[in-house]
């Protein structure tokens, strides 16, 4: 009987270890496969030249610019609205009906799949508001999409600020807004920025919503927010699904992975910074 | 002097009120967006639902939007979505729960410190990269070893299973961690081993949180588009085996929206409605279970 218990314990531990190892290996294998195939095709020309022959030759410069524009519009609109919503939820609203309702809808919005955001953005921005396939339509669709990420992360960061800060500021005669803006927000800043970075990550990663709202045909550098644009993810999708050029697809995927890794490390670093700050 | 001060104070109050209204508005934007999404998508889908009836869409095997008479059967796509999702969960649930138990209970710090960022990164990789990776590795592998075109339910399930892992791990780990310490201590004090404690005390106590993790993983997988569209083959027919091509609801919308007009386009919005309703249903069940489980 005792040995049976010991064997079960040992087997269980082995299975659990293996599960952890499998997950890390899968991650490593995916990144290694993409980067090892794509790194050699990346050079200065690839990053600065426009694509030629539907992307078979040339580079991805307009795609990089398009990505920056679309994600830029999304973050410029989504981040402030999200941060202010989080301030309202944590600093202004008392625990009550409004907070519960808003939070329910934030959760709902977080669960909406990106293709549904895509058809909504297509109907609302592209057709109803008649903005066409454009950076503005794509950016606004993504702004709606990143709202929940920004709100939730910012809320967590604001809640972590000790109440003594609030009470001290209010006792000195500062208004609620002065307290939020000059006391709470600065001490929660790393967390707030983390929320924005996670939002950027979500926006850059998305393809389904963008390709229905920002268009996919454009292979020239966009000059205004009314121009259509193709993002890195959409470019990769087109190259892969139509089998245009797998070498260029690997290179585009590698650029994407590098960007995602950088965002991830920055967010991680900021979270560590915040944890250290709180411990002091 | 006195007058000056009150005027300043009044000004400050006014600014305060304006700011409060502005913040409230920002908080309400989320509600507004949800209602706009529902209103616009449902308004587009409604006319064809009225014309053909719900069962024409839900229990019809034929999708022939350009034929005469038109057929808008969504059943193959609904079946496809659930087939791929079910396969994905078969992979992600055991692996994800094992990994969550490992991280919450057994992993030494040095291992957890490497796995946790890995899981985060897994969640951050764009879905189109998963799809591309699967197209270049899994699809040829399946074609060579199991036959068929490689583009299949199996390939879609594998890639979606990997993508669902981080979400299941995170929520399940939270659920396991939120089991009160006393439960564990009591079990250990009675002489149970660590594994026995986890199996007979911790996991049963974390049951509802883990269930919520699985349902959320399911909702997420059903909504995934870009990965599955690259590896599933996308033919709108009911599949016979795991090596058959399949088209999901998400892929269905993404593939045809670009050129669809009139009723064809409206029928695609019905597909969007079905997707939206199923996912919202799963999500609210999961949230209700999660809240009751007391995990945070």
């Amino acid at each position: 009987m005792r040995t049976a218990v010991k064997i079960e314990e040992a087997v269980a531990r082995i299975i659990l270890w293996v599960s952890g190892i499998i997950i890390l290996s899968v991650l490593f294998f995916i990144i290694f496969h993409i980067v090892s195939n794509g790194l050699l095709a990346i050079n200065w020309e690839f990053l600065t030249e426009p694509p030629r022959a539907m992307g078979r030759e040339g580079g991805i410069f307009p795609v990089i610019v398009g990505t920056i524009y679309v994600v830029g519009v999304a973050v410029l609109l989504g981040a402030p609205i999200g941060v202010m919503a989080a301030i309202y939820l944590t600093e202004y609203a008392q625990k009550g009906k409004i907070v519960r309702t808003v939070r329910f809808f934030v959760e709902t919005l977080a669960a909406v799949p990106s293709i549904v955001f895509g058809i909504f953005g297509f109907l609302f921005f592209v057709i109803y508001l008649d903005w066409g396939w454009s950076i503005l339509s794509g950016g606004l669709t993504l702004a709606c999409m990143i709202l929940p990420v920004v709100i939730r992360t910012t809320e967590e960061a604001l809640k972590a600020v000790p109440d003594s800060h609030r009470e001290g500021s209010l006792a000195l005669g500062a208004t609620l807004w002065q307290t939020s803006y000059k006391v709470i927000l600065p001490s929660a800043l790393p967390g707030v920025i983390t929320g924005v970075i996670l939002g950027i990550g979500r926006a850059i990663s998305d393809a389904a919503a963008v390709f229905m709202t920002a268009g996919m045909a454009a292979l020239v550098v966009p000059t205004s927010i009314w121009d259509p644009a193709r993002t890195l993810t959409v470019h990769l999708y087109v190259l892969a699904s139509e089998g245009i050029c797998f070498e260029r697809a690997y290179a585009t995927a590698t650029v994407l992975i590098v960007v995602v890794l950088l965002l991830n490390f920055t967010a991680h670093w900021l979270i560590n910074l915040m944890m250290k700050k709180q411990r002091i | 002097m006195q007058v000056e001060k009150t005027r300043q104070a009044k000004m400050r109050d006014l600014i305060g009120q304006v700011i409060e209204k502005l913040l409230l508005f920002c908080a309400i934007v989320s509600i507004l967006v949800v209602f706009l999404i529902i209103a616009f998508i449902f308004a587009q889908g409604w006319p064809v639902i009225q014309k053909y009836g719900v069962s024409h869409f839900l229990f019809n095997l034929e999708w022939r939007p350009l034929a005469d008479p038109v057929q808008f059967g969504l059943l193959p796509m609904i079946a496809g979505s659930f087939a791929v999702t079910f396969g994905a969960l078969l992979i992600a649930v055991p692996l994800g729960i094992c990994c969550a138990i490992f991280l919450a209970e057994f992993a030494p710090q040095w291992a957890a410190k490497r796995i946790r960022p890995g899981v985060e990164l897994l969640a951050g990789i764009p879905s189109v990269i998963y799809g591309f990776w699967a197209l270049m590795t899994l699809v040829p592998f399946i074609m060579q070893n199991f036959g068929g075109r490689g583009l299949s339910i199996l390939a879609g399930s594998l890639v979606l299973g990997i993508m669902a892992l981080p979400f299941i791990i995170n929520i399940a780990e939270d659920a396991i961690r939120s089991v009160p310490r006393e439960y564990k201590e009591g079990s250990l004090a009675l002489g149970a081993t660590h594994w026995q404690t986890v199996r007979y005390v911790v996991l049963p106590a974390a049951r509802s949180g883990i269930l919520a993790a699985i349902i959320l993983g399911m909702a997420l997988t059903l909504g995934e588009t870009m990965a599955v569209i690259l590896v599933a083959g996308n033919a709108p027919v009911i599949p016979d085996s795991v090596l058959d091509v399949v088209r999901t609801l998400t892929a269905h919308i993404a593939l045809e929206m670009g050129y669809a007009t009139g009723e064809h386009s409206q029928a695609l919005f019905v597909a969007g409605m079905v997707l939206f309703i199923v996912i919202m249903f799963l999500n609210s069940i999961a949230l209700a279970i999660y809240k009751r489980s007391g995990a945070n």
Side-chain angles (χ1 to χ4, degrees), chain A residues 68-104:
Chain A
I68 293 173
Y69 278 164
V70 173
V71 174
V73 169
V75 173
L76 279 179
L77 270 143
I81 292 179
V83 171
M84 293 209 274
I87 292 177
Y88 186 82
L89 290 179
T90 48
E91 305 299 322
Y92 280 75
Q94 305 306 321
K95 276 193 178 160
K97 229 177 183 170
I98 297 182
V99 181
R100 268 205 309 273
T101 317
V102 172
R103 220 163 259 153
F104 171 77

Side-chain angles (χ1 to χ4, degrees), chain A residues 16-55:
Chain A
L16 295 179
W17 270 97
V18 168
S19 74
I21 292 167
I22 289 177
I23 283 160
L24 274 191
S25 328
V26 167
L27 174 72
F28 180 77
F29 183 55
I30 293 173
I31 293 180
F32 178 78
H33 177 83
I34 301 281
V35 173
S36 66
N37 281 298
L39 208 54
L40 287 176
I42 296 178
N43 50 35
W44 188 245
E45 192 208 332
F46 181 71
L47 296 175
T48 55
E49 299 244 317
R52 290 187 300 273
M54 300 298 292

Side-chain angles (χ1 to χ4, degrees), chain B residues 4 13 35 129 168 224:
Chain B
E4 199 69 26
D13 285 353
F35 276 114
I129 288 191
I168 293 184
E224 196 10 79

Side-chain angles (χ1 to χ4, degrees), chain A:
Chain A
M1 194 59 206
R2 287 263 7 120
T3 42
V5 169
K6 269 187 188 155
I7 290 171
E8 191 191 318
E9 173 107 14
V11 170
R13 275 176 191 269
I14 290 170
I15 291 174
L16 295 179
W17 270 97
V18 168
S19 74
I21 292 167
I22 289 177
I23 283 160
L24 274 191
S25 328
V26 167
L27 174 72
F28 180 77
F29 183 55
I30 293 173
I31 293 180
F32 178 78
H33 177 83
I34 301 281
V35 173
S36 66
N37 281 298
L39 208 54
L40 287 176
I42 296 178
N43 50 35
W44 188 245
E45 192 208 332
F46 181 71
L47 296 175
T48 55
E49 299 244 317
R52 290 187 300 273
M54 300 298 292
R56 218 167 280 124
E57 292 161 25
I60 53 167
F61 183 65
V63 180
I64 294 176
V65 176
T67 308
I68 293 173
Y69 278 164
V70 173
V71 174
V73 169
V75 173
L76 279 179
L77 270 143
I81 292 179
V83 171
M84 293 209 274
I87 292 177
Y88 186 82
L89 290 179
T90 48
E91 305 299 322
Y92 280 75
Q94 305 306 321
K95 276 193 178 160
K97 229 177 183 170
I98 297 182
V99 181
R100 268 205 309 273
T101 317
V102 172
R103 220 163 259 153
F104 171 77
F105 279 96
V106 171
E107 295 297 332
T108 308
L109 205 58
V112 173
S114 111
I115 187 82
V116 172
F117 276 109
I119 55 177
F120 160 69
F122 174 72
L123 278 178
F124 187 59
F125 299 119
V126 176
I127 294 181
Y128 182 74
L129 297 177
D130 202 16
W131 292 345
W133 283 289
S134 60
I135 290 173
L136 192 61
S137 302
L140 283 175
T141 308
L142 287 185
C144 300
M145 200 161 142
I146 65 173
L147 266 181
V149 185
V150 177
I151 292 177
R152 277 200 240 164
T153 326
T154 307
E155 254 195 292
E156 291 297 316
L158 294 176
K159 273 188 205 154
V161 176
D163 273 342
S164 53
H165 286 38
R166 292 186 181 88
E167 286 153 8
S169 168
L170 291 171
L172 286 171
T175 61
L176 202 51
W177 169 244
Q178 286 168 330
T179 305
S180 307
Y181 181 64
K182 293 190 174 153
V183 179
I184 310 296
L185 208 51
S187 46
L189 201 59
V192 175
I193 297 174
T194 307
V196 175
I197 292 176
L198 291 179
I200 296 175
R202 174 106 200 251
I204 286 183
S205 304
D206 182 77
V210 179
F211 101 93
M212 305 189 85
T213 52
M216 52 199 292
L219 284 174
V220 289
V221 178
T223 50
S224 83
I225 51 170
W226 304 105
D227 281 352
R230 189 190 269 195
T231 61
L232 282 165
T233 46
V234 174
H235 189 59
L236 172 56
Y237 170 69
V238 173
L239 292 183
S241 66
E242 290 171 19
I244 292 173
C245 174
F246 289 130
E247 191 205 1
R248 294 275 188 274
Y250 273 120
T252 311
T254 306
V255 172
L256 257 175
I257 284 203
V258 170
V259 173
V260 168
L261 280 173
L262 283 177
L263 287 172
N264 213 283
F265 286 139
T266 318
H268 218 77
W269 176 74
L270 281 168
I271 288 171
N272 278 339
L273 194 79
M274 199 168 60
M275 303 262 264
K276 263 186 206 142
K277 214 171 152 187
Q278 272 167 25
R279 235 171 272 148
I280 291 167

Side-chain angles (χ1 to χ4, degrees), chain B residues 192-210:
Chain B
T193 64
H194 193 175
W195 169 248
Q196 283 175 323
T197 304
V198 169
R199 182 176 160 190
Y200 296 108
V201 178
V202 176
L203 287 184
R207 199 176 44 211
S208 51
I210 293 174

